[in-house]
Amino acid sequence: MEYLIRPILALEGEHGVSLHGERVSVLAYADDLAIVAKSEASLQALLDSVSSAATWVGLRFKPEKCATLHVAGRTVRQTAFTIYGSPLRVLEEGETYDHLGVPTGMRGDQTPVATIARLEEETAKIFASGLAPWQKLDAVRTFIVPQLDFNLRTARIKKTSLKGLDSLMRAEGKRTLGLPSRASVELVELPPSWGGAGLLPIADQADLAAVGHAFRLLTSPDPKISRLALEGLAVSAGHRSAARVDVGLLVNYLNGDVAGNSNVTTTFSAARTARNRLSKRLPTLRWGWSEERRSFQLTMPGGRRPITVDGRSRRSLASALRRALQLHGRATLAAKPDQGRVARVVTTCPTSNHMMRGGRHTRFADWRFIHRARLNTLPLNGCRRWGNEDRRCRRCGRFDETTAHVLCHCLPMMPVITRRHDAILELLTSEIRGHPQEETRLDKRVPFQELVPDVEVPEEVASCRPDIVTIDRRNKIVRVVDVTVPYEDGWQSVTTARERKTEKYAPVARLLSAGGYRTTVDAFVVGSLGAWDSANWTTLSRLGVDRRRGAALARRCVSEAIRWSRDIYVEHVTGIRQYVG
């Protein structure tokens, strides 16, 4: 393609069109060429030049796949052009040609209706297929959404045409996650590492793409492109030349603070409109100018503090904009008093959502249960949103039948709840590989008489039975670990569960320390719905579990907690035991 482009550029000064003081003769991408000329004769001369170059290198254009558009002023003329002596298709006003997948023409609708309709059909087929649920979501994210990426960045697509595809993805995304229609849609939009389906609405992606495309043009490392972009921005803002306007006014125009030229629709007016729509959810999304780097910049939410992207970090813009919108969705979900309780915990820990991409260690029954349980939309008496029916537990009849009560507090279900605790304890103990001189005790009393025979031990302390005690008599080190599986009612519930265990065994640590032993007390916390407490990494390190084995253990513990919680719920509702033994 380089051999075809060079002859056109060589004739650019003579035949190219003048655009804001710059000469332009060709736009090239991959194997597509768009030749631009100042007159009919100039365009034919460029066509003859590029066809001769193609013949010289052994290539040949297909005239039936090419098209021409002649615009004089604001009208379209039916001028015929040829290549190899064959006439090319002549576009009329309102007629379009698909250039790089984007309908291109004079006053033509750039909405790729056929492409969108095809994507709707392919999306429906994927969700109706026999793939595993996590495979369906991955297929849509990988093969459907990226097909519109270039169109969203370069074409002006009507938002109404995207409603059908967005509605289909939203409805099928909920169904794939096993969610009822009343479930919060944010879980469908959040990324898999946050426990969601990763299906951000196409309409929102269109706004992100419009802002990102304008930014990339203005910060392009190619000086010709950046100059043309700046001049185009000045025209959009209502000025004839960028040299006659302060850059601050251009920034204010992009932020929607001042009016611009309403008679013309450009890349930058589209970016301005998109930013105004996004600002309703991302109020800190603002254009700016760095005088030090002489570059436009964008400031947006970035988690703990806003982040700023400029010309040097332009490659991270797309991911930063997408993450900003996802952070807003997570904050919206976490702020909901009912469906956001568990989400405040599990959406901030990727380990808790390891099954979202590959479904590892996860049964289909667990998948259908966990997302609904995390949003507190299980069909339980205490989870009803309306009505005056009895909310009491069908088993014990003492408290409201909520998700937390069923999974952690219902007395008739305590034998199964204990089995969940023991299953996680078994996984933990299977990974402990202490030194040869260490002694590991499981669910036994601490041997105070052997360790500190000269210290009087109160009965309430002597009767303590932590889940794991490792004793290194030579180095006089004792580690006490207790497993707990709380319900994730916000991070405070996880923190409280850990503190409760620490306080419970603090007297044990004090007695052993008085006898000269270095003693640590830790809790191993795994939520009933798969929350993973990051403090567990310290506990695993003290038990001699390295990070690689610890990561594998964390995934298994999360899935084991979900598996047993699902069995507890089903047995609670149906009375049918879900396990053997």
Side-chain angles (χ1 to χ4, degrees):
M1 295 301 292
E2 185 70 21
Y3 287 104
L4 306 185
I5 295 172
R6 287 180 181 179
I8 303 175
L9 293 178
L11 300 173
E12 191 171 66
E14 179 183 357
H15 297 296
V17 65
S18 178
L19 181 62
H20 299 303
E22 299 279 355
R23 285 284 177 177
V24 180
S25 60
V26 61
L27 307 175
Y29 184 85
D31 62 343
D32 281 295
L33 294 177
I35 302 174
V36 186
K38 64 180 181 180
S39 65
E40 302 97 307
S42 292
L43 181 59
Q44 188 60 59
L46 293 178
L47 288 172
D48 293 341
S49 175
V50 72
S51 60
S52 298
T55 301
W56 183 71
V57 296
L59 299 175
R60 184 173 180 82
F61 293 104
K62 291 185 177 180
E64 62 273 15
K65 296 184 65 176
C66 304
T68 61
L69 175 66
H70 182 189
V71 179
R74 295 190 176 183
T75 61
V76 175
R77 295 185 180 180
Q78 299 300 304
T79 306
F81 298 91
T82 61
I83 192 168
Y84 306 130
S86 300
L88 303 180
R89 172 189 169 193
V90 179
L91 297 179
E92 299 180 357
E93 183 172 339
E95 192 177 3
T96 60
Y97 174 87
D98 281 350
H99 177 235
L100 298 176
V102 178
T104 304
M106 183 67 171
R107 298 189 180 91
D109 184 5
Q110 287 192 307
T111 302
V113 178
T115 300
I116 294 174
R118 176 177 56 82
L119 293 182
E120 287 186 23
E121 182 180 355
E122 292 177 358
T123 300
K125 288 182 178 179
I126 288 175
F127 281 117
S129 70
L131 295 172
W134 48 85
Q135 291 175 328
K136 293 178 182 180
L137 298 176
D138 183 69
V140 173
R141 291 192 301 264
T142 305
F143 301 112
I144 300 298
V145 177
Q147 293 189 53
L148 279 174
D149 181 65
F150 188 83
N151 298 71
L152 296 178
R153 285 192 285 116
T154 58
R156 300 185 185 95
I157 301 177
K158 295 179 180 178
K159 288 296 187 69
T160 53
S161 64
L162 300 174
K163 286 185 177 180
L165 183 56
D166 277 338
S167 298
L168 176 63
M169 287 188 177
R170 187 183 305 113
E172 292 296 339
K174 282 187 176 183
R175 187 175 294 109
T176 304
L177 293 176
L179 297 174
S181 58
R182 71 179 181 91
S184 298
V185 72
E186 286 82 11
L187 199 64
V188 177
E189 301 172 2
L190 294 182
S193 60
W194 296 358
L199 302 179
L200 198 65
I202 304 297
D204 289 343
Q205 294 189 50
D207 287 336
L208 297 181
V211 174
H213 185 52
F215 183 84
R216 279 188 289 268
L217 290 176
L218 291 169
T219 60
S220 173
D222 188 322
K224 185 174 183 178
I225 293 177
S226 60
R227 283 197 300 269
L228 286 174
L230 187 61
E231 292 294 339
L233 173 59
V235 171
S236 297
H239 301 273
R240 292 187 176 182
S241 173
R244 302 178 183 178
V245 59
D246 182 71
V247 69
L249 293 177
L250 300 181
V251 170
N252 290 336
Y253 167 75
L254 289 172
N255 286 325
D257 298 333
V258 296
N261 183 0
S262 60
N263 295 324
V264 61
T265 301
T266 68
T267 296
F268 304 102
S269 64
R272 164 192 166 102
T273 303
R275 193 218 70 91
N276 289 341
R277 279 194 294 263
L278 291 171
S279 65
K280 297 176 181 178
R281 286 170 290 173
L282 307 176
T284 59
L285 178 60
R286 300 282 295 178
W287 286 84
W289 172 260
S290 173
E291 192 63 38
E292 178 184 357
R293 297 183 176 179
R294 304 294 299 172
S295 170
F296 284 89
Q297 57 187 25
L298 269 171
T299 302
M300 67 204 75
R304 296 182 179 179
R305 62 181 65 89
I307 63 172
T308 299
V309 178
D310 56 21
R312 294 186 182 181
S313 54
R314 62 197 301 269
R315 290 187 176 181
S316 65
L317 177 65
S319 59
L321 284 171
R322 187 182 183 92
R323 179 174 174 81
L325 207 55
Q326 291 168 339
L327 284 170
H328 169 79
R330 184 170 72 178
T332 302
L333 178 59
K336 296 183 177 181
D338 184 28
Q339 297 190 23
R341 296 165 66 185
V342 179
R344 295 172 201 140
V345 181
V346 296
T347 57
T348 59
C349 181
T351 303
S352 302
N353 309 299
H354 73 91
M355 79 293 292
M356 294 303 299
R357 290 195 179 274
R360 282 186 295 183
H361 313 302
T362 303
R363 304 175 301 180
F364 289 111
D366 302 335
W367 176 276
R368 291 190 294 268
F369 162 80
I370 186 58
H371 309 294
R372 194 165 189 174
R374 286 179 172 180
L375 288 186
N376 201 29
T377 55
L378 292 172
L380 295 170
N381 294 337
C383 295
R384 293 193 183 97
R385 300 180 64 186
W386 51 78
N388 297 321
E389 297 182 25
D390 191 357
R391 296 173 58 88
R392 289 178 300 175
C393 176
R394 71 191 72 190
R395 288 282 177 178
C396 66
R398 300 176 59 190
F399 304 100
D400 284 356
E401 191 182 58
T402 62
T403 306
H405 173 76
V406 171
L407 298 183
C408 296
H409 306 298
C410 187
L411 290 178
M413 300 304 300
M414 277 301 166
V416 194
I417 294 174
T418 302
R419 279 179 171 265
R420 179 181 61 194
H421 166 278
D422 294 344
I424 295 174
L425 175 60
E426 183 179 351
L427 288 175
L428 176 59
T429 54
S430 67
E431 288 294 334
I432 298 177
R433 300 175 184 176
H435 297 290
Q437 67 269 19
E438 283 188 349
E439 172 191 353
T440 301
R441 290 172 171 253
L442 303 178
D443 196 23
K444 294 181 179 179
R445 295 185 180 183
V446 182
F448 290 105
Q449 296 300 325
E450 301 176 18
L451 301 177
V452 286
D454 300 331
V455 178
E456 183 179 352
V457 182
E459 178 59 29
E460 61 272 15
V461 176
S463 61
C464 288
R465 297 179 58 177
D467 289 324
I468 299 175
V469 179
T470 63
I471 304 171
D472 183 351
R473 299 177 189 271
R474 179 185 302 177
N475 298 310
K476 303 200 75 172
I477 299 174
V478 177
R479 300 182 182 90
V480 178
V481 179
D482 211 48
V483 175
T484 180
V485 187
Y487 178 74
E488 303 93 323
D489 191 2
W491 270 115
Q492 186 58 45
S493 63
V494 177
T495 304
T496 301
R498 177 172 290 277
E499 292 174 348
R500 190 183 304 117
K501 292 296 182 181
T502 304
E503 293 173 2
K504 178 179 179 180
Y505 295 105
V508 175
R510 286 194 294 267
L511 281 172
L512 294 175
S513 298
Y517 283 84
R518 287 181 293 165
T519 308
T520 59
V521 177
D522 290 298
F524 189 74
V525 185
V526 181
S528 60
L529 293 175
W532 175 260
D533 187 3
S534 59
N536 290 338
W537 299 122
T538 303
T539 303
L540 292 176
S541 177
R542 288 175 177 169
L543 291 173
V545 181
D546 61 46
R547 192 70 181 211
R548 181 183 62 83
R549 289 189 295 119
L553 172 65
R555 292 191 292 266
R556 294 202 306 273
C557 287
V558 166
S559 292
E560 192 71 7
I562 293 172
R563 171 179 173 269
W564 277 99
S565 292
R566 180 265 174 192
D567 291 349
I568 291 169
Y569 164 73
V570 173
E571 183 174 342
H572 177 93
V573 174
T574 65
I576 302 174
R577 178 171 291 183
Q578 300 297 301
Y579 60 92
V580 178

